[in-house]
């Protein structure tokens, strides 16, 4: 394709304004401030906030950084392309599979199956958003867990806003090892550090976070009273997940970390519930006037014993013993679980090294296995180098259409059609409906990734990173914030590691800190930025039918993101000083 404007090559300069890193940082942060203020302060829908912020980033790139207009526009285009493929390609196909299960009624069967584990919404939030979401993160990542678990929670009677918030907050601890540890593998490539050592280090950080996440989910569903009543189940789940994540990443296999942790924690919770139950069950209120559960129009009933929920804080009731719907035929239950078992099988097979093969090493090269059809090509007209004169990796676009997670989900969907006996016409209608459902999310993600790539290509992100790295030994506290910032902008721990991984290592060496510690901190801190990323906010909002209310969701999750970030900063600081023995 031709570039919009013919442009000269561009070499990054990180302090172009008055030759001052601090002053330049004031300009570099403007696109991010614009994005968060529009989202959180003015409640502007995510797609428009992202587009305005993209324009601001282009203006800063051209005016403050003297980036040629053509190069700036080309960097926005390659970012938008990356947003569409592979990211939205994954989300669209994941939601399509879900929509087919809804159309055939098998999602209701799956819902009833989960409900039989417990009818308590606090327990359901843990097992679906945390355990099952972690499994989806392990296999696909890139927004898939948020999209699927949010709609599953709605089907169980959660209001849309609460379902979105729970799904976003749950999608934290598993993220660093998501998509078979792609973020950590990428971190190893950009830093030159050993991937297994990085995985081991992250495996001594995020498991501590995992202990607290289920408790946070319970608090979101039912505030302090819920925590008091359900903390044993939350702690059992968080602790077993953390231990499994630590053991697998340190002593077994880094890519399998989240798969093992999600299954172990889910099994532990199910077994625990056989010997323990909360004193009250927090269950959806029955519908009124034939209005369906989950439609956002349910009312409160008094708590057993005479107490009542605060007005406007929920729509559930408490009962001494929960009841569940009647059992479905075993064959229907098997078909309800089939799509997810198919997804697991396809992803496991496709990621076997002998089958997956290796991608081409450079544009024009050839890969092996499924990667034999993968193509790398230099984005036409985009010629950007870093301050040292080396080409940026973002100028090369990777089109791995066969091994991409979205394609594997599409294949899984085609097999699901056969298992659920969905006709091609019905499946096509579901796909068109999915595209319509996600249209604003698609625009948002394309704009946000365009913003991220403009900031990366112009040098704005490096300016911010270098300025923060000037903190010396205190950088151990700031290091997770940098990863958090990267994921908040890009929506991807992988992208954040690509963006700031090498910078973290450079800052570590200059500060006398462990390169492995700070590189891992970038990934561990980054997972906490995912819930406030406009990309993921848009996915969650679209999934639960709240498109345009991303700002409302942002305000509800921001406090959790910030609170967990403080915890991670404290942990990294302790590991750099008092607990240095935790670092391999």
């Amino acid at each position: 394709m031709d570039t919009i404007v013919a442009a000269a090559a561009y070499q990054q300069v990180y302090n172009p304004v008055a030759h001052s890193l601090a002053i330049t940082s004031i300009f570099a942060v403007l696109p991010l401030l614009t994005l968060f203020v529009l989202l959180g302060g003015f409640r502007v829908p995510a797609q428009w906030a992202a587009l305005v912020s993209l324009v601001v980033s282009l203006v800063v790139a051209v005016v403050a950084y003297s980036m040629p207009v053509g190069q700036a526009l080309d960097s926005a285009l390659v970012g938008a392309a990356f947003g569409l493929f592979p990211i939205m390609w994954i989300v669209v196909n994941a939601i399509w599979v879900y929509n087919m299960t809804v159309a055939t009624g098998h999602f209701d069967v799956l819902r009833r199956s989960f409900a039989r584990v417990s009818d308590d919404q606090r327990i359901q939030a843990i097992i679906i958003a945390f355990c099952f979401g972690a499994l989806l993160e392990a296999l696909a990542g890139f927004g898939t867990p948020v999209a699927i678990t949010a709609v599953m929670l709605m089907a169980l009677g959660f209001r849309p806003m609460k379902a979105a918030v729970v799904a976003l907050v749950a999608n934290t601890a598993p993220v660093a090892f998501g998509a078979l540890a792609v973020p950590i593998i990428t971190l190893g490539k950009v830093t030159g550090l050993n991937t297994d050592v990085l995985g081991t280090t992250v495996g001594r950080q995020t498991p501590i976070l995992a202990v607290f996440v289920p408790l946070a989910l319970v608090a979101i569903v039912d505030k302090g009273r819920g925590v008091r009543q359900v903390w044993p189940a939350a702690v059992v789940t968080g602790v077993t997940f953390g231990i499994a994540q630590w053991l697998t990443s340190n002593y077994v296999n880094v890519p399998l970390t989240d798969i093992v942790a999600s299954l172990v924690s889910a099994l532990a919770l199910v077994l625990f519930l056989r010997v323990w139950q909360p004193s009250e069950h927090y269950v959806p209120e029955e519908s009124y006037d034939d209005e369906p559960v989950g439609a956002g129009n349910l009312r409160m009933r008094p708590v057993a014993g005479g107490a009542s929920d605060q007005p406007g804080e929920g729509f559930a009731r408490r009962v001494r013993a929960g009841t569940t719907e009647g059992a479905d035929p075993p064959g229907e239950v098997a078909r309800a679980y089939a799509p997810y078992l198919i997804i697991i099988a396809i992803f496991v097979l496709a990621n076997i090294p002998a089958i997956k093969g290796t991608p081409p090493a450079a544009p024009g090269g050839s890969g092996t296995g499924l990667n034999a059809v993968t193509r790398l090509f230099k984005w036409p007209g985009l010629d950007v180098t870093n301050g040292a004169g080396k080409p940026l990796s973002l100028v090369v676009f990777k089109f791995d259409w066969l091994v991409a997670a979205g394609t594997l989900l599409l294949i899984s969907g085609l097999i699901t059609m056969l298992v659920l006996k969905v006709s091609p016409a019905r499946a096509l209608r579901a796909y068109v409906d999915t595209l319509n459902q996600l249209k604003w999310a698609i625009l948002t993600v394309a704009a946000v990734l365009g913003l991220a790539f403009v900031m990366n290509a112009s040098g704005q992100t490096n300016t911010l990173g270098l300025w923060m790295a000037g903190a010396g030994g205190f950088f151990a506290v700031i290091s997770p914030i940098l990863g958090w910032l990267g994921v908040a902008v890009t929506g991807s721990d992988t992208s954040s590691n690509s963006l700031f991984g090498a910078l973290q290592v450079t800052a570590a060496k200059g500060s006398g800190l462990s390169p492995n510690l700070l590189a891992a901190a970038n990934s561990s801190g980054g997972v906490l930025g995912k819930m406030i990323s406009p990309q993921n906010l848009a996915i969650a909002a679209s999934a639960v039918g709240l498109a345009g209310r991303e700002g409302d969701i942002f305000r509800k999750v921001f406090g959790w993101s910030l609170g967990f970030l403080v915890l991670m900063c404290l942990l990294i600081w302790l590991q750099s000083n008092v607990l240095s023995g935790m670092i391999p």
Side-chain angles (χ1 to χ4, degrees):
M1 61 181 288
D2 296 325
T3 56
I4 295 179
V5 179
Y10 172 72
Q11 183 172 2
Q12 293 179 336
V13 177
Y14 306 131
N15 60 346
V17 182
H19 302 292
S20 168
L21 201 61
I23 296 176
T24 305
S25 295
I26 297 174
F27 290 87
V29 79
L30 287 177
L32 302 181
L33 285 177
T34 302
L35 183 62
F36 294 136
V37 168
L38 289 178
L39 271 177
F42 294 96
R43 304 189 182 189
V44 175
Q47 66 270 19
W48 309 127
L51 286 171
V52 171
S53 302
L54 171 58
V55 172
V56 173
S57 71
L58 287 168
V59 172
V60 171
V62 173
V63 175
Y65 285 79
S66 301
M67 188 178 194
V69 175
Q71 298 286 7
L73 293 174
D74 271 331
S75 62
L77 285 175
V78 69
F82 182 77
L84 299 176
F85 183 94
I87 294 176
M88 287 310 298
W89 179 236
I90 295 171
V91 176
V92 167
N93 287 309
I95 296 296
W96 172 58
V97 174
Y98 157 75
N99 282 340
M100 283 196 295
T101 65
V102 171
T104 60
H106 287 91
F107 189 79
D108 286 333
V109 178
L110 182 67
R111 172 182 64 81
R112 289 191 289 270
S113 177
F114 274 110
R116 278 191 290 275
V117 174
S118 175
D119 61 351
D120 192 316
Q121 285 195 336
R122 301 164 299 188
I123 302 294
Q124 292 168 349
I126 296 173
I127 196 166
I128 294 175
F130 186 73
C131 300
F132 187 57
L135 180 60
L136 293 174
E137 180 67 37
L139 298 172
F142 294 102
T144 303
V146 171
I148 292 180
T149 60
V151 291
M152 289 182 72
L153 292 173
M154 276 189 62
L156 287 168
F158 284 68
R159 276 189 172 177
M161 180 64 70
K162 186 172 286 186
V165 172
V166 168
L168 285 166
V169 173
N171 192 220
T172 48
V175 169
F177 295 98
L180 297 175
V182 166
I184 293 174
I185 293 171
T186 301
L187 185 62
K189 289 182 179 178
V190 300
T191 61
L193 300 175
N194 184 279
T195 299
D196 290 333
V197 175
L198 287 173
T200 296
T201 309
V202 174
R204 300 179 185 187
Q205 294 168 350
T206 57
I208 296 174
L209 173 67
V211 174
F212 298 96
V213 173
L215 288 168
L217 301 183
V218 172
I220 292 169
V221 174
D222 193 24
K223 302 191 183 317
R225 181 166 46 190
V227 174
R228 290 192 299 272
Q229 293 183 349
V230 187
W231 70 264
V235 169
V236 165
T237 308
V239 169
T240 54
F241 185 95
I243 292 174
Q245 199 177 51
W246 164 60
L247 289 175
T248 308
S249 62
N250 278 254
Y251 303 109
V252 183
N253 181 275
V254 171
L256 295 179
T257 296
D258 275 350
I259 295 177
V260 173
S262 61
L263 295 176
V264 168
S265 60
L267 178 61
L269 177 58
V270 170
L271 293 177
F272 182 68
L273 290 175
R274 292 191 174 187
V275 298
W276 176 91
Q277 288 289 328
S279 59
E280 295 177 326
H281 283 210
Y282 191 71
V283 302
E285 181 61 278
E286 293 91 351
S287 58
Y288 287 78
D289 303 323
D290 297 324
E291 293 171 336
V293 170
N297 50 23
L298 301 176
R299 305 178 185 178
M300 296 299 306
R301 280 192 181 177
V303 177
S308 62
D309 288 304
Q310 296 299 316
E313 289 188 354
F315 62 104
R317 63 189 173 94
R318 299 170 195 278
V319 295
R320 292 297 176 185
T323 58
T324 58
E325 300 173 71
D328 294 287
E332 290 301 300
V333 174
R335 277 189 284 274
Y337 279 93
Y340 303 100
L341 297 176
I342 291 168
I343 290 172
I344 293 172
I346 292 294
F347 272 84
V348 169
L349 287 174
N351 281 281
I352 294 174
I355 297 176
K356 185 175 183 178
T358 56
S366 58
T368 62
L370 295 178
N371 268 300
V373 297
T374 296
R375 293 293 178 264
L376 300 179
F377 62 89
K378 186 176 181 297
W379 193 265
L382 189 57
D383 189 1
V384 181
T385 59
N386 62 20
K390 296 181 179 179
L392 298 185
S393 59
L394 62 77
V395 304
V396 177
F397 190 84
K398 182 180 181 181
F399 189 56
D400 53 345
W401 63 270
L402 186 54
V403 296
T407 304
L408 299 180
L409 285 166
L410 176 63
I411 295 172
S412 302
L414 294 175
I415 298 174
T416 296
M417 286 173 55
L418 300 176
V419 174
L420 300 187
K421 300 179 181 179
V422 180
S423 68
R426 194 176 188 185
L428 181 60
R429 284 196 302 272
Y431 206 96
V432 172
D433 291 342
T434 301
L435 290 173
N436 183 59
Q437 175 186 352
L438 295 174
K439 59 180 181 294
W440 294 120
I442 292 171
L443 176 59
T444 300
V445 171
V448 168
L449 268 295
L451 160 68
F453 273 57
V454 170
M455 292 187 67
N456 296 353
S458 64
Q460 295 172 52
T461 48
N462 278 328
T463 295
L464 294 173
L466 289 170
W467 176 68
M468 296 173 72
F474 189 69
F475 188 68
V477 176
I478 299 176
S479 178
I481 299 176
L482 203 57
W484 176 79
L485 184 65
V487 176
V489 175
T490 65
S492 164
D493 202 39
T494 300
S495 298
S496 178
N497 287 344
S498 299
L499 186 61
F500 292 132
L503 176 61
Q504 296 271 17
V505 171
T506 301
K509 292 177 180 177
S511 306
L513 298 168
S514 165
N516 282 311
L517 171 62
L518 296 198
N522 192 83
S523 194
S524 297
V527 306
L528 304 172
K530 195 157 189 178
M531 69 179 81
I532 62 170
S533 164
Q535 167 186 318
N536 289 285
L537 289 170
I539 291 170
S542 296
V544 300
L546 293 178
R549 294 188 60 189
E550 293 83 2
D552 294 332
I553 301 174
F554 173 82
R555 282 191 298 278
K556 288 183 177 294
V557 300
F558 183 75
W560 292 105
S561 178
L562 201 59
F564 282 135
L565 178 62
V566 171
L567 173 65
M568 186 59 65
C569 289
L570 176 61
L571 173 62
I572 301 303
W573 180 80
L574 289 173
Q575 289 182 330
S576 71
N577 292 278
V578 184
L579 303 176
S580 57
M582 291 181 66
I583 306 305

